Amino acid sequence: GLTGWQRIAAAAGLGVLGASALPPFYMLPLLIPAFTGLVWLVESSPGPRRASSAGWWFGFGHAASFFSESFSRRCNGLEAFAMFVMIVR
């Protein structure tokens, strides 16, 4: 199975994939592999701490993708990055 950074990257990538179902993309079929992958990561976790870590990184990837898309429509690239850093911080 996946360990370490591979697991974190997979969870965040699945979160980004899940965010593609939101406006303006509306790619709803991508929710199936996104949440199936999340369930697989949680079920294959050796303990509750790793399972919650997978969920946290999924949520982080989902939020990062959603915020970067929504802010990039209102601001230029550097301003969108600055706003994201302010939110995360």
Side-chain angles (χ1 to χ4, degrees):
L2 301 175
T3 59
W5 287 104
Q6 294 174 338
R7 186 177 191 79
I8 291 171
L14 289 168
V16 170
L17 191 68
S20 299
L22 298 172
F25 301 116
Y26 295 106
M27 296 183 197
L28 289 175
L30 292 179
L31 284 175
I32 295 169
F35 283 106
T36 303
L38 175 63
V39 169
W40 173 73
L41 281 174
V42 169
E43 288 292 323
S44 66
S45 297
R49 187 170 181 179
R50 290 273 174 95
S52 62
S53 173
W56 193 92
W57 283 107
F58 179 89
F60 179 80
H62 187 82
S65 176
F66 178 71
F67 284 128
S68 70
E69 174 58 33
S70 63
F71 286 134
S72 68
R73 294 194 175 274
R74 295 184 181 181
C75 309
N76 292 334
L78 188 57
E79 293 169 345
F81 178 72
M83 291 178 85
F84 177 71
V85 168
M86 289 189 313
I87 289 171
V88 171
R89 194 167 188 219

